[in-house]
Amino acid sequence: MKIIMLGAPGAGKGTQAKQIAAKYEIPHISTGDIFRANIKNGTELGKKAKTYMDQGALVPDELTCDLVMDRIQQEDCKNGFVLDGFPRTIPQAEALDAALTKIGQTMDYAIDVDVPDENIVNRMGGRRACLNCGATYHVVFNPTKVEGKCDACGSDTVLRDDDKPETVQKRLSVYHDQTQPLIDYYQKQGILKSVDGTQPMDQVFDAIVAILGA
Ligand code: ADP
Ligand code: AMP
């Protein structure tokens, strides 16, 4: 099963993608996590990506596409994968389609987690991320057991630099300009499914399972 998670930053793509990956036993591929891991490890890619991420801008397609194409051709992706945060532009979607066409495959589902902008600002202000293992929490909707410490690995949880209010507004406008057109793109391909992302997390997941099958 090959799935794309669509939706605004903070809509809950990562939250749902992790559960989908666990249930259907497919890898969760988050470009944001890959970039953050590169930043943490001080790689050249990380240094380049950080300048864009800190401004709430998109990392250029030429730095993003190849790394996803390499990742989806790895052995653990042979039964499918869930893409979270990719594609974010029409050229990225076209690059993905072209890479899959070459190996005689197509995407199965593009799931749009639909959340209005006014909810997004609260979501992102309350999001706390573990930069060690990538787990995500929310101070109100999904708090850690011990304040400020990741449940999974015990490391500190932090407010991401790009979740600060001034950057959130910029990311939302980038989303509307560059990523939202993908909804139409996948609608035309006949693989778009939409879920109401304002529901509690477990209900959003139930709606997704109803689409994908138990
Ligand atoms: P995305 O991957 O789309 O950027 P996340 O999955 O990181 O979004 O979710 C953004 C924030 O909102 C996180 O703090 C997460 O815990 C919280 N969140 C996710 N889904 C819901 C939901 N259905 N209701 C309330 N909060 C949610
Ligand atoms: P995310 O973790 O998905 O919220 O992504 C955090 C940031 O990483 C984004 O605001 C972008 O700067 C960058 N990023 C992640 N995925 C992509 C992508 N597919 N294309 C371009 N930039 C991306």
Side-chain angles (χ1 to χ4, degrees):
M1 192 144 42
K2 294 189 287 306
I3 304 162
I4 294 166
M5 302 304 292
L6 291 177
K13 300 180 298 294
T15 301
Q16 299 302 325
K18 287 186 180 85
Q19 292 190 67
I20 294 170
K23 181 173 171 66
Y24 297 96
E25 298 180 346
I26 50 177
H28 167 208
I29 302 174
S30 156
T31 39
D33 285 352
I34 295 172
F35 289 137
R36 281 184 289 277
N38 275 274
I39 292 172
K40 193 167 160 242
N41 295 329
T43 69
E44 275 312 304
L45 173 64
K47 282 179 199 148
K48 285 184 191 152
K50 188 173 183 342
T51 60
Y52 298 96
M53 291 167 75
D54 283 351
Q55 293 168 33
L58 294 183
V59 178
D61 291 342
E62 56 272 25
L63 294 179
T64 308
C65 287
D66 288 351
L67 83 88
V68 176
M69 300 322 147
D70 287 346
R71 179 68 190 88
I72 64 175
Q73 284 172 45
Q74 287 171 21
E75 182 62 20
D76 63 335
C77 290
K78 69 178 189 315
N79 294 326
F81 46 81
V82 52
L83 291 177
D84 161 17
F86 184 94
R88 260 182 158 100
T89 64
I90 297 276
Q92 289 181 12
E94 289 170 347
L96 176 64
D97 281 346
L100 288 173
T101 302
K102 266 196 206 156
I103 52 172
Q105 297 189 13
T106 53
M107 291 305 300
D108 298 310
Y109 297 98
I111 300 178
D112 179 40
V113 183
D114 186 24
V115 176
D117 286 8
E118 48 276 25
N119 304 38
I120 293 291
V121 179
N122 281 339
R123 291 259 182 111
M124 286 161 95
R127 171 157 63 183
R128 295 292 178 273
C130 173
L131 296 184
N132 182 47
C133 76
T136 306
Y137 303 92
H138 190 283
V139 289
V140 177
F141 305 122
N142 181 24
T144 50
K145 293 192 180 82
V146 177
E147 199 186 321
K149 298 283 173 201
C150 177
D151 291 352
C153 74
S155 300
D156 290 343
T157 57
V158 297
L159 175 69
R160 277 166 43 181
D161 284 343
D162 61 348
D163 280 351
K164 297 191 171 136
E166 55 281 15
T167 317
V168 168
Q169 288 303 339
K170 164 79 178 160
R171 292 172 70 199
L172 273 173
S173 95
V174 166
Y175 166 76
H176 290 301
D177 286 351
Q178 299 197 55
T179 308
Q180 210 171 16
L182 292 175
I183 294 179
D184 238 32
Y185 181 93
Y186 289 112
Q187 175 88 58
K188 286 191 182 118
Q189 287 196 2
I191 62 166
L192 182 77
K193 304 282 174 187
S194 210
V195 294
D196 174 4
T198 64
Q199 306 173 93
M201 295 172 199
D202 51 349
Q203 289 180 29
V204 179
F205 188 59
D206 289 347
I208 292 174
V209 171
I211 292 164
L212 301 178

